[in-house]
Amino acid sequence: MNGFLYGLALQWKLDIRSKSILVTCYIVPILFTLIMGGIFTSIMPEMKSTLTQSMLVLSVSMGAYIGFPPALIETYGSDIKKVYKANGVPMYSGLVTMYISAFVHLMISSVIIMLLDYVLYEAILPNNLIEFFLGLAVYVIVSLSIGSILGLIIKDQAKLTMISQLLFLPSIMLSGIMFPSDFLPEFFKNLGYAFPASWGYQLMLDGGFRLENLWYLSFVFVTAIIAITILLRKQKFE
Amino acid sequence: MDIAIQVNNLKKSYGKHLVLKELDFTIMKGEIFAFLGINGAGKTTTLECIEGLKSYDSGKITINGKMGIQLQSSSLPNHIKPMEAVKLFSKWNNTVIDYAMLNALGIEEIKNKKYLQLSTGQKRRLHLALALIGNPDIIFLDEPTAGLDVEGKLSLHQQIRKLKSQGKTIVLASHDMAEVESLCDRIAILNSGNIIFCGTPKQLIDKVGRKYLIKIKTEYEEISFETDNIENSLLSILEELKQKEVHLLDIKVDRGTLEQHFIELSRREA
């Protein structure tokens, strides 16, 4: 347990040093919020009630799909994974520490973005903060589990960048965070529901923390955990 | 002498390609044992099967003692600092950090650098320190001096000899014949997944049966000849020179390097 906690604290520091998490969880989402928050609320003042949720879906998706997987590739796509075996540490240990560390980073950046939206653009705070943060936590957990699959399956950083973008861009464009999904053609509207971002967004809106918005994310999470378990077992016997 | 590692009928394949073909060998406690072979001979695979880093198809591996594994120089995150890695490994192994050992390996000097900023030699020393953290009885070194300059090699050889003097068993894989010749008590030569020789360097020379090459330089000439019986040959030639009152300037006896014997044996096996 002592080793696990030290490993977790160390991973948190390494994430900041490696800059991948620093850029995708903090710098880019915060800059995006600072620039786009002003534009969105001036073009559509009614967006003040959903600005925070929109920015958080973008921030979490970016961190989980683009920032998190490279750290996994660095470990599981290289000889670093042998460190665990050589020291009798379970193979999943690295993934768990990276996952928890990324979760903390994403929650911290989410709070920063929420406060910036509130202070700078008079974004309306959620009515029920507990439900809001629960919804946010669920979306972060599900997104990181998808990021975990990407990091464990793909061994090449260039390929990862391409596939991450294929997941990230539709998540942003089709989830209703940039503009209401009702504006989209029926096909794209339905396609949007294949991405967790649409459900995460609904989950964080006022009164959205309901089973009808949770079931799909739960399904994705359970499926991802099964896939991660299989991928880790495969790594163990490679 | 007790047995540190016993390997029986070890088989390992990658798909249809059999890379280790029923290996049998024993490594004794306190010795420096080396696996020699060209790239692809199966040295690293053999080591990794013993270390538990790789699964194997069949066979039995018995290990008597705690293992410490020096991993290759790409097995830590780029942004970790040496002391952070040391602390993490010591917590995983539930041991107290041995600062004397860290000082001896020069880890204190590099403690504030990131892993990616370390030179090859510094990385090797760090990995050796990490392998020693749990105070292991058996230490595995895979190509320990690959990429090091002469000074780095000598320093690491010194550390390895020191470990042997402390009673540790050292198992290494290498293709540096000079290194193996100067360090190791016994060697196993691997060729296409088979052990074609296992014994001391002297036994290898005897097996290959290379003759002694004697080079003599006198005030008048230089002569060289081969012989099986070095003692009689030297005594008779020295007697002859004495009788003729010829001054001897230099004498060299050469039985070839380990490298020459390795090449000879590999050629024969092929």
Side-chain angles (χ1 to χ4, degrees):
Chain A
M1 195 61 192
N2 201 2
F4 177 77
L5 290 177
Y6 181 78
L8 183 58
L10 182 59
Q11 186 58 50
W12 202 81
K13 280 197 273 183
L14 292 180
D15 282 342
I16 297 282
R17 276 185 215 155
S18 78
K19 300 198 176 60
S20 170
I21 291 276
L22 183 69
V23 169
T24 55
C25 288
Y26 295 97
I27 296 173
V28 174
I30 288 171
L31 278 176
F32 190 83
T33 300
L34 290 174
I35 297 164
M36 297 308 289
I39 296 171
F40 281 161
T41 47
S42 59
I43 295 172
M44 294 181 284
E46 68 274 16
M47 215 180 159
K48 285 182 180 174
S49 60
T50 58
L51 181 66
T52 299
Q53 289 84 347
S54 299
M55 292 301 158
L56 294 190
V57 166
L58 180 131
S59 159
V60 171
S61 303
M62 182 178 282
Y65 300 156
I66 299 173
F68 176 56
L72 283 176
I73 290 187
E74 191 188 7
T75 297
Y76 290 96
S78 72
D79 274 354
I80 299 177
K81 67 180 174 218
K82 288 181 183 171
V83 166
Y84 297 110
K85 282 188 186 178
N87 287 279
V89 179
M91 203 61 159
Y92 60 79
S93 179
L95 172 67
V96 172
T97 51
M98 285 183 240
Y99 191 105
I100 296 174
S101 168
F103 176 84
V104 174
H105 281 297
L106 286 172
M107 291 303 280
I108 291 172
S109 77
S110 295
V111 172
I112 295 170
I113 289 168
M114 189 179 158
L115 291 173
L116 283 174
D117 286 340
Y118 177 69
V119 172
L120 298 176
Y121 308 117
E122 296 168 344
I124 298 165
L125 288 176
N127 284 332
N128 187 331
L129 280 173
I130 293 172
E131 280 190 0
F132 168 77
F133 277 111
L134 278 174
L136 172 65
V138 168
Y139 182 57
V140 173
I141 288 168
V142 173
S143 300
L144 285 174
S145 64
I146 295 170
S148 303
I149 296 175
L150 293 180
L152 291 174
I153 283 185
I154 304 162
K155 310 280 182 206
D156 177 58
Q157 295 281 6
K159 206 183 278 179
L160 173 72
T161 306
M162 194 178 71
I163 294 173
S164 296
Q165 293 295 346
L166 285 177
L167 200 59
F168 173 71
L169 290 174
S171 293
I172 301 311
M173 300 310 292
L174 306 178
S175 60
I177 67 164
M178 300 294 222
F179 42 81
S181 52
D182 288 337
F183 291 180
L184 290 166
E186 198 63 23
F187 171 76
F188 287 110
K189 189 180 166 186
N190 290 331
L191 185 64
Y193 283 109
F195 296 92
S198 306
W199 302 82
Y201 178 60
Q202 297 293 331
L203 203 63
M204 282 187 273
L205 292 175
D206 280 336
F209 195 77
R210 295 195 306 269
L211 194 62
E212 63 188 76
N213 291 328
L214 261 173
W215 75 268
Y216 184 75
L217 293 174
S218 308
F219 167 74
V220 171
F221 179 67
V222 171
T223 310
I225 293 298
I226 293 168
I228 290 166
T229 309
I230 294 167
L231 289 166
L232 282 175
R233 278 183 70 84
K234 205 177 142 204
Q235 292 256 352
K236 192 178 168 186
F237 294 111
E238 258 175 15
Chain B
M1 212 187 244
D2 297 330
I3 291 172
I5 298 168
Q6 173 101 47
V7 174
N8 298 109
N9 302 321
L10 178 65
K11 272 173 89 173
K12 164 81 183 169
S13 52
Y14 293 118
K16 288 179 182 173
H17 181 50
L18 193 59
V19 288
L20 300 181
K21 301 166 184 168
E22 300 201 351
L23 301 188
D24 280 291
F25 57 89
T26 303
I27 299 172
M28 310 310 287
K29 280 189 179 166
E31 72 175 345
I32 303 182
F33 187 94
F35 290 101
L36 267 177
I38 56 168
N39 287 342
K43 304 184 298 285
T44 299
T45 306
T46 307
L47 272 194
E48 292 190 338
C49 287
I50 302 170
E51 292 162 353
L53 299 182
K54 271 203 168 87
S55 60
Y56 47 93
D57 304 343
S58 62
K60 191 180 174 197
I61 299 174
T62 311
I63 293 160
N64 297 315
K66 191 175 180 188
M67 293 191 290
I69 302 165
Q70 184 198 29
L71 293 166
Q72 290 187 337
S73 300
S74 55
S75 44
L76 283 175
N78 280 334
H79 297 275
I80 200 166
K81 293 179 181 175
M83 279 313 289
E84 291 171 339
V86 167
K87 278 182 194 164
L88 182 65
F89 276 52
S90 70
K91 286 186 188 296
W92 277 344
N93 286 280
N94 225 359
T95 51
V96 180
I97 297 171
D98 178 355
Y99 285 96
M101 179 270 286
L102 295 182
N103 274 330
L105 288 169
I107 305 303
E108 278 286 316
E109 302 155 23
I110 54 168
K111 66 179 181 183
N112 292 321
K113 283 187 174 180
K114 288 179 187 171
Y115 185 68
L116 61 87
Q117 295 168 326
L118 302 180
S119 68
T120 309
Q122 289 168 333
K123 284 180 181 173
R124 297 266 176 206
R125 281 191 277 132
L126 173 61
H127 282 291
L128 182 58
L130 295 175
L132 299 178
I133 273 177
N135 192 22
D137 307 303
I138 307 166
I139 300 148
F140 293 91
L141 311 171
D142 193 356
E143 305 282 359
T145 55
L148 295 192
D149 57 17
V150 178
E151 199 183 342
K153 272 188 188 180
L154 291 175
S155 161
L156 207 61
H157 287 175
Q158 206 179 345
Q159 294 298 331
I160 293 170
R161 286 197 186 94
K162 194 174 162 193
L163 290 169
K164 179 183 159 67
S165 72
Q166 292 166 358
K168 311 279 187 195
T169 306
I170 294 151
V171 184
L172 59 95
S174 178
H175 51 228
D176 184 337
M177 304 292 163
E179 171 174 286
V180 169
E181 194 167 15
S182 75
L183 273 181
C184 299
D185 299 308
R186 288 199 306 138
I187 53 176
I189 297 181
L190 281 160
N191 191 0
S192 307
N194 288 305
I195 291 183
I196 56 172
F197 172 81
C198 186
T200 63
K202 187 181 176 306
Q203 285 170 336
L204 175 62
I205 294 166
D206 291 341
K207 182 174 178 177
V208 175
R210 204 178 163 91
K211 291 178 179 176
Y212 291 94
L213 177 68
I214 299 175
K215 286 182 184 170
I216 290 172
K217 189 177 177 186
T218 68
E219 55 191 322
Y220 304 115
E221 61 180 343
E222 272 188 50
I223 51 169
S224 61
F225 60 93
E226 284 189 342
T227 177
D228 289 323
N229 191 332
I230 186 169
E231 203 175 348
N232 286 348
S233 301
L234 278 176
L235 285 173
S236 65
I237 198 149
L238 288 172
E239 186 63 30
E240 195 183 327
L241 290 172
K242 195 179 172 187
Q243 281 174 5
K244 291 180 182 170
E245 293 185 342
V246 174
H247 288 292
L248 180 69
L249 297 178
D250 193 17
I251 184 162
K252 280 186 184 134
V253 179
D254 182 18
R255 216 183 173 190
T257 60
L258 188 63
E259 188 168 1
Q260 287 167 321
H261 300 300
F262 169 74
I263 292 166
E264 179 71 28
L265 190 66
S266 301
R267 195 179 292 147
R268 282 189 199 176
E269 290 295 322

